[in-house]
């Protein structure tokens, strides 16, 4: 149509009134304008609201993330009467400081990270608890001979331990262990579990022999628990199977998610099907029969990590509770040797990531309660038993259904144990009365399963819990007030024992990243009672340790219950029973319910003593007093005989004489014994300990120096100088890449105390170079030169990195920066040869200092870096990981 025609058409239409304005049209236009304005207002409001929300949005919680607001608001101040937490780290002094839980780098596979545990038991029948520790071995693809070995430590009775060299060399991807006298000869035997390993060691009067009585069982075996489930007077064994793990190199780069967190596929238990459990019935004569499926307790749907035998319903038969990871927990009630699954009826079929278990009557109501530690963001559980409530009211269901033997209610939140654990991943756990007030306290080991961003990645450390019970009503975490517990670790196992025989319970932690930590309990103020039970085997002989027996101690109207059972996580506590008695000096009545139902009673028993109770014998037997362990040297004995004023005066006399000998006369040989005499008078004096370490290192006694520095770190975990010097000596004595990584952990702890300390940053850079990790070395060195323009060592090594990458111009520029940092008056110093500690007059030297000190100034990269490169490329240097 032409323009003219269109105009004509419109004119005609207009003339006919077709498009003429009307009242309806005007209302439509107004409506459209109103709607448009409303849309604009709503849009602006929504945008503003979204902007306000974005700015003020709450933090999103990610599993494993450290968001203080999650638990800070839940924290309560310690109430009046809370005890001072006093635990002393005695790991090194006790001779346990050299244990290694893992050798070499991880390869991010599930079996490498789940353990290890430890168990206390008197294997040599000398009256004190010895210690077996499982090693997690090494990476799955590492040859067996490089795996760290499991260790049995003999308790020498003076507060120290020594390895039992005659124990069979055991190098496995280990997880758990448990003592139990399966053949009834009076000597406790040992079962050890691991990935692809289920080992039994028979104890022949203190000598251990590998025994194949359990048969061949290939699997991923975790917790093991001994118990006489059929009441035939010999110990049966339940073993937890975790998952059907498949070692697949092609899965190494795949990722999966756990509660929104991205993790390697090979570290997620959900990636693998669950595995069956074993019940090995003891048929006597050293023979076992596997009957789990036959009795309905194989739990093939559960990814099982731990199980505990315990008579929860008090009918004389051991029930079985199983902690399952990302699958329902299971409670099998034992009625005459036949099992019934009452998990849901008992309200404990909990689908969370369950790891550790602990059993005890925390509220003193006459029945035993159950604590379960969980994975992150899931809270821990405290299942309070309602057994005595049912008995008191004789309650029966109205529908005629059979009531289960026991039911539980989760009281964790009300008791302060739930939400405080949201950011932690819990493992080992044990009830114990640490202060002796008559109420069970609780220790919980924590350690992450999430990895760092390092190459190779490490597991993230966490701090553990030590809860004090305020009369069973609320648990308060005392750990933040204890220096020995302030350092985070990747902890797995936990077990308690009165290892030093002083009447209180001490705590052992098994760190996946740092070996053992033995904490001596110095906080008990109440009176105490310690019981050793002796039960009878099938022949009527007193050979047992009272396994599964329950003891009730009566103090007037108060009743305290303890049982000879322990599970924790992959671990086992002492079989001796400890009771805190508060102010009581006499026990009115002791009742022992032996496994199988027999009951013995003992009246008017003296407190603060160790007693042996024998099944069927009405007379308690007092064990002879144990002499106090002599863990002091002659100087300490002298110190104990001095008044406080005399002790302080004598300390400063020794300290000043030692400093003069060291600094003025340069007589280190004379200074060392003087510092030791001073420390005998004041073992916590940090200067004396540090100067002693300096003298020892300068004289070439590096191992002794490192021991002193470790002792100083125990006194003050925030001692920057001790952490730094220990790291430098660790680098100097390193024999593997793992040693160098241990040094990096110490350096990182020192760096957190002072984020811009040049010496630590340079040491980190040089250690990464020794490992061949150029990118990480460059980060640390660049940080050092940025914060300190006089850090000539940083510029020098940055030049080396540039030269190795082929950037000669950048290497020359860094050498010029090195010379500028040293100043116009600098002259070549010459250098002490790397590793020649005896020639040094101090120990604050970085690992590669000799090479940069030998450079005479010209900006010639080939000449400047040639010797350094030859050293770092030398096959004699044991380094971990390829060059980047």
């Amino acid at each position: 149509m032409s323009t003219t025609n269109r105009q004509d058409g419109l004119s005609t239409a207009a003339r006919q009134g077709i498009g003429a304005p009307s009242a309806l049209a005007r209302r439509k236009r107004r409506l459209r304008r109103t709607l448009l304005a409303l849309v604009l207002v709503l849009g602006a409001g929504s945008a503003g609201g979204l902007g306000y929300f974005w700015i003020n949005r709450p933090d999103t919680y990610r599993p494993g993330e450290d968001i203080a607001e999650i638990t800070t608001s839940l924290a309560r101040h310690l109430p009046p009467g809370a005890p001072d937490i006093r635990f002393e780290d005695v790991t090194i002094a006790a001779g346990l400081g050299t244990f290694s839980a893992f050798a070499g780098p991880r390869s991010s596979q599930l079996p490498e990270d789940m353990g290890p545990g430890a168990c206390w038991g008197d294997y040599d029948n000398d009256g004190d608890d010895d210690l077996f520790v499982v090693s997690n071995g090494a990476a799955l693809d590492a040859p067996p001979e490089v795996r760290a070995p499991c260790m049995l430590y003999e308790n020498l009775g003076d507060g120290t331990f020594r390895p039992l060299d005659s124990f069979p060399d055991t190098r496995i991807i280990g997880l758990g262990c448990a003592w139990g006298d399966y053949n009834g000869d009076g000597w406790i035997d040992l079962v050890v579990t691991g990935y692809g390993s289920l080992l039994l060691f028979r104890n022949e009067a203190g000598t251990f022999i590998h025994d194949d009585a359990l048969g061949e069982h290939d699997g991923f075996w975790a917790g093991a628990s001994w118990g006489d489930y059929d009441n035939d007077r010999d110990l049966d064994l339940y073993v937890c199977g975790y998952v059907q793990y498949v070692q697949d190199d092609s899965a190494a780069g795949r990722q999966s998610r756990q509660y929104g967190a991205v993790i390697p596929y090979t570290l997620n238990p959900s990636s693998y099907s669950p595995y069956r459990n074993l019940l090995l019935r003891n048929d006597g004569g050293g023979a076992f029969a596997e009957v789990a499926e036959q009795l309905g307790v194989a739990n093939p749907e559960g990814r099982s990590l731990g199980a505990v035998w315990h008579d929860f319903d008090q009918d004389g038969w051991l029930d079985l509770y199983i902690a399952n990871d990302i699958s329902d927990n299971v409670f099998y009630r034992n009625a005459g040797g036949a099992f019934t699954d009452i998990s849901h009826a008992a309200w404990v079929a909990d689908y969370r990531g369950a790891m550790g278990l602990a059993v005890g009557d925390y509220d003193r109501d006459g029945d035993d309660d159950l604590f379960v530690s969980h994975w992150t963001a899931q809270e821990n559980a405290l299942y309070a038993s309602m057994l005595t409530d049912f008995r008191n009211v004789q309650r029966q269901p109205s529908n005629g259904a059979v009531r289960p033997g026991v039911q539980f209610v989760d009281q964790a939140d009300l008791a302060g144990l739930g939400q405080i654990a949201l950011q932690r991943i819990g493992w080992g756990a044990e009830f114990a009365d640490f202060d002796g007030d008559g109420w069970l306290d609780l220790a919980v080991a924590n350690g992450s399963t999430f990895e760092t961003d390092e190459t190779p990645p490490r597991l993230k450390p966490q701090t553990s819990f030590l809860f004090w019970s305020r009369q069973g009503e609320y648990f308060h975490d005392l750990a933040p007030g204890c220096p020995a517990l302030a350092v985070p670790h990747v902890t797995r196992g936990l077990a308690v024992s009165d290892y030093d025989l002083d009447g209180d319970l001490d705590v052992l932690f098994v760190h996946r990243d740092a070996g053992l930590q033995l904490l001596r309990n110095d906080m008990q103020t109440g009176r105490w009672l310690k019981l050793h039970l002796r039960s009878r085997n099938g022949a009527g002989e007193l050979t047992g340790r009272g396994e599964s027996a329950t003891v009730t101690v009566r103090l007037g109207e108060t009743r305290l219950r303890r049982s000879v059972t322990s599970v924790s996580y992959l671990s086992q506590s002492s079989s001796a029973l400890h009771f805190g008695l508060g102010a009581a000096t006499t026990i009115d009545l002791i009742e022992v319910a032996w496994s199988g139902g027999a009951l013995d009673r003992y009246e008017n028993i003296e407190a603060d003593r160790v007693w042996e109770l024998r099944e069927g014998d009405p007379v308690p037997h007092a064990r002879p007093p144990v002499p106090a362990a002599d863990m002091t040297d002659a100087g300490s004995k002298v110190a104990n005989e001095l008044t406080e004023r005399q002790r302080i005066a004598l300390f400063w006399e020794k300290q000043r004489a030692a400093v003069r000998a060291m600094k003025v006369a340069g007589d280190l040989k004379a200074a060392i014994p003087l510092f030791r005499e001073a420390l005998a008078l004041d073992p916590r004096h940090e200067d004396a300990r540090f100067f002693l370490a300096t003298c020892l290192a300068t004289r070439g006694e590096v191992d002794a120096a490192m021991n002193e520095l470790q002792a100083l770190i125990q006194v003050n975990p925030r001692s920057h100088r001790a952490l730094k010097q220990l790291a430098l000596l660790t680098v100097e004595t390193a024999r593997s890449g793992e040693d160098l990584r241990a040094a990096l952990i110490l350096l990182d702890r020192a760096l957190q105390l002072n984020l811009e300390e040049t010496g630590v940053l340079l040491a980190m850079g040089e250690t990464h170079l020794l490992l061949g990790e150029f990118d990480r070395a460059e980060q640390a060195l660049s940080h050092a030169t940025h914060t300190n323009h006089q850090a000539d060592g940083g510029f020098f090594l940055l030049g080396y990195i540039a030269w190795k990458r082929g950037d000669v111009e950048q290497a020359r520029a860094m050498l010029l920066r090195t010379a500028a940092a040293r100043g116009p008056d600098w002259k070549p110093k010459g250098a002490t040869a790397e590793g020649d500690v005896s020639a040094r007059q101090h120990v604050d030297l970085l690992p590669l200092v000799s090479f940069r000190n030998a450079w005479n100034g010209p900006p010639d990269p080939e000449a400047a870096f040639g010797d350094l490169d030859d050293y770092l490329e030398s096959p004699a240097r044991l380094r971990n990981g390829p060059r980047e």
Side-chain angles (χ1 to χ4, degrees):
M1 180 183 294
S2 68
T3 305
T4 302
N5 290 338
R6 287 198 299 270
Q7 291 174 345
D8 289 346
L10 288 172
S11 299
T12 302
R15 284 195 301 271
Q16 293 175 350
I18 295 174
S22 65
L24 179 60
R26 287 193 297 272
R27 284 196 296 274
K28 288 182 178 179
R29 287 196 295 272
R30 286 198 297 271
L31 179 60
R32 284 196 295 269
R33 287 195 294 267
T34 301
L35 289 173
L36 178 61
L38 181 59
V39 168
L40 292 173
V41 170
L42 290 174
S46 299
L50 287 172
Y52 178 83
F53 169 78
W54 184 257
I55 294 172
N56 297 279
R57 71 191 187 284
D59 289 330
T60 300
Y61 177 68
R62 298 178 180 86
E65 185 180 17
D66 187 11
I67 299 177
E69 288 80 0
I70 291 178
T71 53
T72 300
S73 61
L74 304 172
R76 298 187 181 184
H77 296 295
L78 294 180
D84 293 330
I85 181 168
R86 297 195 305 276
F87 278 87
E88 187 76 16
D89 190 329
V90 296
T91 311
I92 296 171
L96 301 175
T98 59
F99 175 78
S100 175
F102 196 82
R106 299 166 57 252
S107 61
S108 296
Q109 300 195 68
L110 189 62
E112 300 169 357
D113 294 348
M114 298 306 295
C119 52
W120 292 102
D122 183 8
Y123 85 87
D124 50 6
N125 288 342
D126 65 352
D128 51 34
D129 282 329
D130 309 295
L131 177 66
F132 185 82
V133 192
V134 182
S135 171
N136 215 182
L140 260 61
D141 55 358
E145 60 269 18
V146 306
R147 295 172 182 167
C150 303
M151 300 293 293
L152 175 57
Y153 291 95
E154 179 189 0
N155 189 337
L156 300 180
D158 61 355
T160 66
F161 297 80
R162 69 180 175 195
L164 187 67
D165 295 334
S166 63
F167 190 85
D169 189 44
T170 306
R171 299 174 185 266
I172 60 176
I173 308 297
L175 277 90
C177 57
W179 295 104
D181 180 12
Y182 79 91
N183 56 4
D185 65 352
W187 298 84
I188 54 174
D189 311 297
L190 179 68
V191 64
V192 181
T193 67
Y195 175 63
S197 300
L198 179 58
L199 306 175
L200 178 64
F201 296 99
R202 187 176 68 252
N203 184 354
E204 298 281 2
T207 299
F208 288 86
I209 300 170
H210 180 251
D211 191 330
D212 59 3
L214 299 181
E216 294 291 332
H217 300 284
D218 186 29
F220 190 163
W221 306 117
S225 185
W226 295 98
D228 181 12
Y229 83 89
D230 50 4
N231 284 347
D232 65 351
R233 292 290 169 164
D234 54 30
L235 291 179
D236 312 296
L237 179 65
Y238 194 81
V239 183
C240 294
Y242 188 35
V243 298
Q244 299 180 45
Y245 188 79
V246 178
Q247 188 173 349
D248 181 4
D249 293 338
S250 66
R254 295 167 58 187
Q255 292 183 331
S256 63
R257 301 186 74 87
Q258 279 185 302
Y259 291 86
V262 177
I263 66 169
Y265 177 91
T266 53
L267 291 182
N268 190 344
S270 298
S271 303
Y272 307 97
S273 300
Y275 198 50
R276 67 186 178 98
N277 299 342
L278 305 175
L279 175 52
L280 296 158
R281 185 185 65 210
N282 191 338
D283 288 339
F288 289 85
E290 208 291 287
V291 295
E293 186 173 357
Q294 173 185 334
L295 294 178
V297 295
N299 189 210
E301 301 84 12
R303 297 172 176 86
S304 302
L305 287 172
V308 59
W309 292 109
H310 192 80
D311 185 8
F312 285 103
D313 57 2
Q314 301 179 18
D315 67 348
W317 294 86
L318 292 178
D319 308 306
L320 179 65
Y321 187 82
I322 304 169
N324 288 325
D325 193 4
I326 52 173
S327 40
D328 283 349
N329 292 348
V330 180
F331 184 9
Y332 294 110
R333 181 169 183 255
N334 183 356
F339 293 92
T340 304
D341 184 346
I342 63 166
S343 311
H344 291 277
W347 303 341
V348 290
D350 200 353
Y351 189 100
R352 283 187 267 185
M355 269 79 88
L357 298 172
V359 176
D361 184 10
Y362 85 93
D363 50 6
R364 298 200 324 203
D365 65 350
D367 51 33
D368 287 320
D369 313 298
L370 178 66
F371 176 84
V372 185
S373 62
H374 288 127
W375 203 65
T376 191
Q378 297 180 350
E379 302 188 1
N380 292 331
L382 178 62
Y383 293 117
S385 173
M386 300 171 63
L387 180 66
T388 51
D389 297 332
F390 280 130
R391 288 180 172 175
N392 290 339
V393 301
Q394 297 295 309
R395 184 167 62 189
Q396 293 288 344
S398 58
N399 60 4
V402 177
R403 176 177 57 79
V406 64
Q407 286 181 322
F408 297 83
V409 175
D410 189 353
Q411 301 281 14
D413 271 343
L414 293 178
L417 298 175
Q419 296 184 55
I420 193 174
L422 277 171
Q423 296 171 246
R424 312 293 174 85
I425 297 178
W427 303 88
E430 193 66 271
F431 284 113
D433 186 356
F434 292 115
D435 61 341
D437 65 351
W439 295 91
L440 286 176
D441 309 306
L442 177 67
V444 183
N446 297 317
S448 185
T449 59
F450 294 106
E451 296 184 320
T452 65
D453 295 329
E454 299 169 275
T455 303
R458 295 183 293 119
L459 297 174
K460 296 179 180 179
Q462 296 179 335
T463 53
S464 293
F465 293 130
L466 202 150
F467 293 106
W468 168 70
S469 173
R470 188 190 65 209
Q471 298 185 345
E473 297 175 354
Y474 198 86
F475 288 85
H476 298 267
D477 183 22
L478 302 181
C482 179
L485 292 171
V487 178
H489 286 289
V490 181
T491 311
R492 294 292 185 259
L494 179 153
V496 302
S497 166
D498 179 17
Y499 83 95
D500 52 0
L501 304 176
D502 63 351
D504 55 30
L505 289 174
D506 313 294
V507 185
L508 178 85
F509 292 96
V510 188
H511 301 313
R512 169 62 179 71
D513 60 337
L516 301 178
Q517 186 179 27
L518 178 60
L519 301 185
R520 188 186 68 222
N521 182 358
D522 295 330
M523 67 179 288
Q524 179 170 280
T525 56
R527 294 184 178 275
W528 55 274
L529 170 71
K530 186 175 175 180
L531 300 178
H532 290 269
L533 303 187
R534 289 293 173 262
S535 52
R536 299 186 184 276
N537 62 16
E541 302 166 325
L542 285 169
T543 60
R545 264 68 170 177
E547 290 86 355
S548 305
T550 295
V551 175
T552 302
V553 167
R554 300 197 182 196
L555 307 171
E557 297 300 316
T558 299
R559 298 186 182 186
L560 309 177
R561 286 171 58 88
R562 304 286 188 274
S563 297
V564 186
T565 185
S566 176
V567 61
S568 186
Y569 175 76
L570 307 177
S571 301
Q572 184 183 48
S573 294
S574 174
S575 63
L577 298 181
H578 171 272
F579 294 81
L581 305 177
T585 58
T586 302
I587 296 92
D588 298 324
L589 178 66
I590 297 177
E591 295 179 317
V592 184
W594 300 97
S595 179
L599 188 70
D600 285 335
R601 292 181 172 86
Y602 308 87
E603 297 182 355
N604 299 320
I605 305 299
E606 183 182 353
D608 295 337
R609 295 290 301 273
V610 181
W611 297 88
E612 183 176 290
L613 306 181
R614 303 168 183 172
E615 184 176 7
D617 185 345
V619 178
H621 299 266
R623 286 205 169 185
V626 179
D630 182 10
M631 291 177 276
T632 60
D633 57 18
S636 296
K637 294 176 182 177
V638 172
N640 292 335
E641 298 171 359
L642 301 173
T643 66
E644 182 67 10
R645 183 183 295 273
Q646 290 172 327
R647 185 188 62 79
I648 293 173
L650 185 56
F651 165 80
W652 284 110
E653 177 184 330
K654 301 292 184 182
Q655 174 74 354
R656 293 188 182 105
V659 172
R660 283 195 300 271
M662 178 184 69
K663 292 186 175 181
V664 179
D667 188 353
L668 303 185
K669 185 177 180 180
I672 289 172
L674 288 169
F675 279 126
R676 284 179 169 148
E677 290 178 26
L679 286 166
L681 294 158
D682 185 358
R684 301 183 64 84
H685 198 276
E686 296 183 33
D687 283 348
R689 188 77 65 183
F690 184 78
F691 291 155
L692 174 57
T694 301
C695 292
L696 291 167
T698 304
R699 284 179 54 83
E701 300 177 43
V702 179
D703 289 343
M706 294 174 72
N707 287 338
E708 296 299 334
L709 292 169
Q710 288 172 328
L712 174 52
I713 293 169
Q714 291 175 12
V715 171
N716 179 11
R718 297 179 62 82
S719 175
H720 182 277
R721 58 182 176 174
L723 290 166
K724 177 182 173 182
Q725 296 291 26
L726 182 58
L728 293 173
L729 292 176
T730 301
V731 171
E732 183 158 335
T733 58
R735 295 295 178 266
S736 67
E738 191 65 19
D739 291 337
L740 295 175
R741 296 199 184 282
L744 285 171
I745 293 173
L746 294 167
L747 289 169
D748 185 66
R749 286 171 56 186
L751 186 64
Q752 298 310 309
L753 299 173
N754 184 353
L755 294 175
E756 297 185 353
E757 208 278 309
T758 303
V760 171
L761 289 167
L762 291 178
M764 294 180 78
E766 297 194 9
T767 306
H768 281 301
L769 276 180
L770 290 168
L771 285 163
E773 299 172 351
F774 280 18
D775 288 347
R776 294 187 177 278
E778 186 176 34
Q779 292 175 3
L781 297 170
S782 297
H783 190 181
T785 56
H786 178 75
T787 57
N788 182 359
H789 298 306
Q790 304 302 313
D792 61 295
F795 291 120
F796 181 83
L797 293 175
L798 287 171
Y800 169 72
I801 294 172
W803 177 67
K804 287 293 289 182
R805 289 172 174 166
D807 191 344
V808 177
E809 290 304 315
Q810 178 67 9
R812 288 196 184 99
M814 288 296 102
L815 287 174
L816 292 173
R817 294 287 299 274
T818 304
R822 290 175 172 178
D825 298 327
W826 171 81
K827 294 180 181 180
K829 301 176 182 179
T832 301
E834 179 71 15
D836 186 6
V837 181
S838 61
R840 298 178 181 177
Q841 293 304 305
H842 60 89
V843 296
D844 191 9
L845 292 177
L846 300 175
L848 302 179
V849 67
S850 59
F851 298 100
R852 69 171 185 263
N853 282 347
W855 176 60
N856 60 7
D860 179 359
E862 189 73 30
F865 305 129
D867 289 344
L868 172 61
D869 191 54
D870 289 342
Y871 176 71
L872 292 176
E873 294 287 356
S874 170
R877 286 297 302 172
L878 296 177
R879 298 193 302 277
N880 176 33
R883 291 290 180 117
E884 297 179 8

